Amino acid sequence: MWYAFIDVAVLAVVAVVARRRLVVVQVSGVSMSPTYRPGDRVLVRRTGAVRRGQVVVFESTRPSGWGTGPPAPPWAIKRVTALPGDPVPADVAEAVAARPGACVPEGALVVVGDGTSSADSRVYGYLPADRLLGVVVRRLSPGPPAAERSGETAS
């Protein structure tokens, strides 16, 4: 019976470690539609290492730049399109005042929403990498059907 105690102890340790490395975030806004809809819950792995094409969650409140304007949810979700050292995408160059051939600086990311209505790097410029919460691992539950989501605004 001592092995049952060890199983419980191992599960407790795994739960504590998972809680520190994983977090659940609820999507609000339509900027990542159709990939993620308002109300979707996503599992996020806390990490500082990201790759181009991954969907990330980051702190949206900031004294200037990201999160200015009307109150926003504390977290935003977008797709990484350029990493430090990558060429600045043409549709972001104006927002960051980049010259032709410029590269994304260290400590910065370029992120955009999948939807047609998204306030992202094309509007606010580079995302400071220190605002990153983590990378979306998977959707846990879908949001409400479209008929129940009237009056949405982009975030």
Side-chain angles (χ1 to χ4, degrees), residues 5-53:
F5 174 75
I6 292 175
D7 286 346
V8 170
V10 168
L11 286 175
V13 169
V14 168
V16 169
V17 170
R19 189 170 189 137
R20 289 184 184 165
R21 302 234 341 119
L22 301 170
V23 64
V24 176
V25 175
Q26 184 167 352
V27 175
S28 65
V30 296
S31 69
M32 284 301 291
S33 279
T35 309
Y36 299 107
R37 300 181 323 210
D40 283 354
R41 292 171 6 119
V42 294
L43 184 63
V44 177
R45 183 182 71 244
R46 295 178 191 252
T47 183
V50 297
R51 293 187 313 264
R52 204 174 306 99

Side-chain angles (χ1 to χ4, degrees), residues 45 47-59 62 65-66 76-89 91-93 95-96 98 103-113 119-136:
R45 183 182 71 244
T47 183
V50 297
R51 293 187 313 264
R52 204 174 306 99
Q54 288 182 311
V55 176
V56 296
V57 173
F58 56 91
E59 184 179 2
R62 190 161 177 79
W66 284 98
I77 182 170
K78 306 287 183 209
R79 187 173 304 278
V80 175
T81 59
L83 300 167
D86 288 348
V88 175
D91 58 347
V92 176
V96 298
C103 291
V104 177
E106 284 298 317
L109 301 169
V110 174
V111 294
V112 299
D120 50 36
S121 288
R122 295 171 287 198
V123 175
Y124 293 114
Y126 299 122
L127 169 68
D130 64 354
R131 296 294 180 193
L132 191 68
L133 173 66
V135 175
V136 173

